[in-house]
């Protein structure tokens, strides 16, 4: 199933390659911006901290803007949406090899 995505560089233009996120305890973590792309009506960002890199995991966020037009990263709560976006990212990183 091929779904179209458009590359995006909203976050990269604004923040560069590294984005610092704060959790509820106001602890900051530096994430490396791996990819951002538009799918459907949303822009998504794939980030990876050093901790996630060790686990070979990534964090996927939906990019939104607040009332001041500042970018915000939202956790994707919907499992189906998360699955689709993760799959799209995998396809970008590991393009499917034609089967013999």
């Amino acid at each position: 199933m091929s779904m179209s995505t458009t590359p995006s560089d909203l976050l990269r233009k604004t923040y560069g390659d590294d984005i610092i996120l704060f959790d509820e305890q106001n602890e900051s973590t530096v994430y490396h911006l791996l990819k951002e792309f538009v799918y459907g009506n949303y822009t998504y960002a794939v980030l990876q901290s050093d901790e996630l890199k060790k686990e070979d995991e990534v964090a996927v966020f939906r990019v939104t803007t607040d009332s001041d037009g500042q970018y915000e990263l939202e956790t994707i709560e919907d499992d189906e949406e998360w699955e689709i976006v993760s799959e799209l990212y995998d396809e970008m990183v590991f393009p499917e090899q034609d089967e013999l």
Side-chain angles (χ1 to χ4, degrees), residues 5-88:
T5 58
T6 314
S8 166
D9 62 356
L10 285 179
L11 296 177
R12 201 175 300 278
K13 273 192 185 142
T14 309
Y15 303 109
D17 290 338
D18 292 322
I19 295 176
I20 298 169
L21 298 181
F22 293 89
D23 63 17
E24 288 82 19
Q25 286 76 41
N26 224 17
E27 297 285 320
S28 66
T29 305
V30 177
Y31 285 87
H32 191 64
L33 179 57
L34 298 181
K35 248 317 172 228
E36 53 184 307
F37 58 91
V38 178
Y39 169 68
N41 299 324
Y42 294 108
T43 298
Y44 294 95
V46 180
L47 306 179
Q48 191 177 53
S49 63
D50 288 346
E51 203 57 39
L52 286 171
K53 192 173 189 155
K54 283 184 207 144
E55 310 283 322
D56 210 21
E57 300 268 331
V58 295
V60 184
F61 296 95
R62 189 190 302 137
V63 182
T64 58
T65 46
D66 65 14
S67 52
D68 299 327
Q70 296 292 312
Y71 296 118
E72 294 187 326
L73 294 174
E74 275 181 16
T75 308
I76 299 171
E77 302 291 346
D78 183 69
D79 288 344
E80 194 177 331
E81 180 182 357
W82 195 91
E83 280 292 320
I84 290 171
V85 174
S86 300
E87 235 169 77
L88 288 169

Side-chain angles (χ1 to χ4, degrees), residues 1-5 35 37 83-97:
M1 111 187 136
S2 179
M3 293 177 279
S4 71
T5 58
K35 248 317 172 228
F37 58 91
E83 280 292 320
I84 290 171
V85 174
S86 300
E87 235 169 77
L88 288 169
Y89 172 68
D90 284 347
E91 280 177 28
M92 284 178 229
V93 180
F94 315 105
E96 282 184 43
Q97 306 300 317

